[in-house]
Amino acid sequence: MLLKDVAYQAIKEKILEEEYAPGQFLSERTLIQELEMSKTPIKNALVRLESEGFVTVSSKQGIIINDLSIERINDIYNLRIALETFTCDALYQRITSEQLRDLKENLEQTKVAAENLDVMGFASLDHDFHVDLSEIAGNKEITRILLNYHDHLLRITLRHLRKDPTRVRKFYQDHVAIVDALEAHQEESIHLMRQHLQESKAMLFQ
């Protein structure tokens, strides 16, 4: 892996973990010292992070860690509701036993993460669950959108779970209910997905 990619991953991870908190100001000097790297890979990493909306680099103020605005979080959730209910609608009548087996493997791992209140592990598995559904449905464009939003969705989920780690158990139960409805080839899976995402959004704004 190139040094600029190592720097990118290290800085992004600190942002996702909120070790670099929203609104915080950093300097290149700080990053050079903390990451023990030269200026060039860090500059390259910051260009990429800025293009993805994680930071703003200002010649006067330095590096600002961007927060996700309420408006953007709301828009992302509304987009997900539209896309992922469409996915369930496309899938519930034709999902196969083999495809369900893949989802159930995810649920088994998610159950362990939920029982252990493993916030980071759960957040990653949560994202995998929603992407897996899209891949099973075969809509490459919806999958691409979810993958493109991966880090911002992870950031939103982590913020959720830091407020109350026990929420992992509610989210896990939601996933189980969705898979059960899909296995029974029930249209109810569409409603359950919509409810899951709407309730998730509402809890985040509490």
Side-chain angles (χ1 to χ4, degrees):
M1 186 181 290
L2 298 174
L3 276 178
K4 65 179 182 179
D5 297 325
V6 174
Y8 166 80
Q9 291 293 345
I11 298 168
K12 184 177 70 176
E13 188 172 314
K14 287 177 182 289
I15 293 171
L16 293 175
E17 292 281 2
E18 295 197 346
E19 187 175 331
Y20 296 154
Q24 182 176 342
F25 291 85
L26 296 171
S27 67
E28 280 187 9
R29 184 186 299 275
T30 300
L31 292 174
I32 288 167
Q33 291 173 345
E34 290 191 2
L35 302 181
E36 298 180 340
M37 289 185 184
S38 65
K39 188 175 182 177
T40 301
I42 287 172
K43 266 188 169 298
N44 288 332
L46 289 171
V47 168
R48 183 174 172 187
L49 288 163
E50 186 169 32
S51 73
E52 293 175 356
F54 286 103
V55 302
T56 298
V57 180
S58 166
S59 57
K60 292 182 179 179
Q61 295 177 298
I63 302 146
I64 306 161
I65 306 301
N66 293 334
D67 199 1
L68 285 167
S69 68
I70 289 173
E71 291 78 12
R72 189 172 189 197
I73 292 172
N74 190 60
D75 287 348
I76 289 172
Y77 266 106
N78 289 340
L79 176 64
R80 289 186 67 191
I81 289 167
L83 296 179
E84 297 194 55
T85 53
F86 176 86
T87 293
C88 288
D89 189 19
L91 199 56
Y92 79 90
Q93 289 179 305
R94 62 178 177 84
I95 193 165
T96 67
S97 298
E98 184 177 350
Q99 291 166 338
L100 283 161
R101 189 160 51 248
D102 292 337
L103 292 175
K104 288 179 179 180
E105 285 178 11
N106 174 280
L107 289 181
E108 288 175 11
Q109 296 173 57
T110 306
K111 182 180 181 181
V112 174
E115 288 173 346
N116 296 329
L117 299 182
D118 175 5
V119 168
M120 179 59 82
F122 183 92
S124 179
L125 288 164
D126 175 82
H127 175 76
D128 290 345
F129 176 82
H130 290 275
V131 171
D132 286 350
L133 278 172
S134 178
E135 288 180 337
I136 289 168
N139 192 310
K140 293 180 180 178
E141 288 305 304
I142 292 178
T143 303
R144 181 180 59 80
I145 290 169
L146 292 177
L147 290 172
N148 285 346
Y149 275 104
H150 173 272
D151 292 321
H152 291 296
L153 293 172
L154 182 60
R155 194 178 184 191
I156 291 169
T157 304
L158 287 171
R159 183 167 299 181
H160 237 309
L161 301 180
R162 287 192 190 100
K163 283 188 170 187
D164 180 2
T166 63
R167 288 179 182 176
V168 296
R169 292 165 181 161
K170 168 67 167 64
F171 293 163
Y172 164 70
Q173 291 298 334
D174 288 352
H175 287 188
V176 170
I178 291 166
V179 171
D180 285 348
L182 287 171
E183 186 169 26
H185 303 290
Q186 292 176 342
E187 193 175 358
E188 175 72 2
S189 61
I190 304 168
H191 167 71
L192 289 170
M193 178 62 79
R194 180 180 293 107
Q195 185 178 46
H196 171 57
L197 293 172
Q198 286 176 336
E199 288 180 353
S200 177
K201 180 175 71 170
M203 280 192 287
L204 192 57
F205 293 146
Q206 287 175 358

